Amino acid sequence: MLTRWGNFYGLNHTLPVFDELRQQMDHLFKDLERGWVPTPLRREGLQARTWPKANLFDQGERLLLTLQVPGLKEENLTIEANAETLTVRGERKVQAPEGYRAHRQERASLQFSRSIALPVRIDVERVAATLQNGILSIEMAKAQEVLPRKIEVHTSAK
Amino acid sequence: MSQTTKTAQEATDERFYATPSVDIFENNDEILVVAELPGVSPEKLRIEFHDQQLTIEGEQSPFDREKALGLEFLPTHYRRVFQVQQRVDVDKIAAKLEQGVATIHLPKAPETKARTIEIKRA
């Protein structure tokens, strides 16, 4: 499933609820102008089915994607990058320990594949991932062609 | 109305409050609690047992939201409290945090363990 990015939380909010609604409407109209099919509104709590939850940041020369993957180890994760899309696949098995009876089981075994459409092209040779405290961080260098180019001004020779 | 007010407060608080997903298991010797707390470092995890109440609380490291292009989770404050029925050997409670998952062992106090009683032949 390909997911498009939007601003799900107001970054500058005096009345967050309305800000968010306004932003969502703005995005919806922008999408319609561009001819994109609108994706359902995403809000924490309303759509618990998206797993893993992800954040995307612009760090200037890089994009940073962070995903919540509690219980997954390096060997359970696969990351695939192409210039415009990043795909993360993984599997987690949750089992009741042997000899124990379960009172409550809210954590589930799961298998996922999540593809994220990136807002700019990236250099697939310069993608690095780290896993810490159940958060997978993927740093992607933006492609040279999308970085702002510095143009040197030469003084004309006399 | 009160619901709207609550949401607004939580949002302006810059933190997001969440209930971690938890598994609870039990055998003859202990109660085992497994809680999902992605993004919480060991220093930011607090596990407390007091008055037969187990409290799990953890805070995700903050991040700079200004640079976000898309957010599906905010710096989260996890909290969950359980009332424990059985007597627990408080001094022997042990916990570890791995891949954002906390495993908490609550050993049962010796007097509450089920005992198999041998029947002696007369």
Side-chain angles (χ1 to χ4, degrees):
Chain A
M1 188 184 66
L2 206 64
T3 331
R4 196 189 50 76
W5 285 98
N7 251 324
F8 311 127
Y9 295 93
L11 297 178
N12 173 21
H13 42 240
T14 34
L15 268 171
V17 179
F18 295 111
D19 265 3
E20 195 180 313
L21 185 65
R22 185 181 53 75
Q23 282 195 357
Q24 300 277 15
M25 290 304 286
D26 285 351
H27 280 295
L28 187 69
F29 286 123
K30 243 185 251 173
D31 289 353
L32 289 171
E33 275 167 29
R34 292 175 192 153
W36 289 349
V37 181
T39 49
L41 300 185
R42 316 162 136 278
R43 268 200 66 186
E44 192 77 49
L46 289 184
Q47 44 92 40
R49 290 291 159 259
T50 305
W51 211 98
K53 289 214 173 77
N55 285 347
L56 185 68
F57 302 92
D58 190 335
Q59 296 189 319
E61 297 197 351
R62 281 181 297 274
L63 292 176
L64 171 69
L65 182 73
T66 57
L67 299 117
Q68 289 189 334
V69 288
L72 276 100
K73 294 178 184 163
E74 285 87 348
E75 60 264 31
N76 307 131
L77 287 159
T78 324
I79 302 163
E80 214 179 273
N82 69 41
E84 284 154 354
T85 318
L86 190 100
T87 304
V88 181
R89 290 193 185 88
E91 193 175 2
R92 173 179 93 171
K93 287 201 172 92
V94 176
Q95 274 179 322
E98 205 156 319
Y100 287 78
R101 62 184 177 280
H103 286 295
R104 187 187 283 269
Q105 276 186 291
E106 298 169 352
R107 305 175 62 242
S109 291
L110 46 89
Q111 205 175 2
F112 69 88
S113 171
R114 196 163 176 202
S115 293
I116 284 150
L118 301 169
V120 297
R121 292 177 69 85
I122 57 158
D123 180 351
V124 291
E125 299 303 322
R126 292 191 294 147
V127 177
T130 51
L131 184 62
Q132 201 187 15
N133 297 326
I135 302 270
L136 175 66
S137 302
I138 306 168
E139 272 199 324
M140 300 158 271
K142 291 183 187 172
Q144 282 300 321
E145 72 256 25
V146 299
L147 290 177
R149 207 165 303 162
K150 217 168 157 186
I151 291 126
E152 263 179 69
V153 181
H154 296 281
T155 44
S156 49
K158 286 186 179 168
Chain B
M1 183 58 209
S2 62
Q3 189 57 45
T4 316
T5 319
K6 191 167 170 259
T7 314
Q9 275 173 355
E10 284 182 356
T12 44
D13 192 3
E14 293 290 315
R15 285 194 301 189
F16 184 79
Y17 292 85
T19 309
S21 296
V22 163
D23 286 349
I24 301 174
F25 304 108
E26 184 182 348
N27 70 5
N28 193 26
D29 301 319
E30 63 168 10
I31 298 159
L32 183 63
V33 180
V34 184
E36 254 173 41
L37 307 145
V40 176
S41 59
E43 312 81 73
K44 290 287 165 102
L45 175 64
R46 193 175 69 89
I47 296 163
E48 202 184 88
F49 191 86
H50 181 69
D51 263 352
Q52 290 299 112
Q53 251 184 14
L54 173 72
T55 306
I56 306 163
E57 206 160 0
E59 207 155 334
Q60 264 188 1
S61 311
F63 48 78
D64 189 2
R65 290 168 59 187
E66 292 294 313
K67 290 174 180 154
L69 299 171
L71 291 174
E72 288 175 356
F73 64 92
L74 294 177
T76 306
H77 186 103
Y78 293 101
R79 184 181 155 87
R80 199 144 180 197
V81 181
F82 289 100
Q83 194 69 39
V84 180
Q85 305 294 326
Q86 294 89 335
R87 292 266 144 222
V88 168
D89 193 343
V90 181
D91 295 332
K92 287 185 182 155
I93 295 177
K96 66 173 181 195
L97 183 65
E98 277 176 338
Q99 282 93 37
V101 177
T103 309
I104 308 155
H105 298 268
L106 305 168
K108 291 184 192 173
E111 68 267 28
T112 63
K113 283 186 194 174
R115 216 166 299 155
T116 315
I117 291 118
E118 227 178 287
I119 300 161
K120 284 179 187 157
R121 280 165 192 272

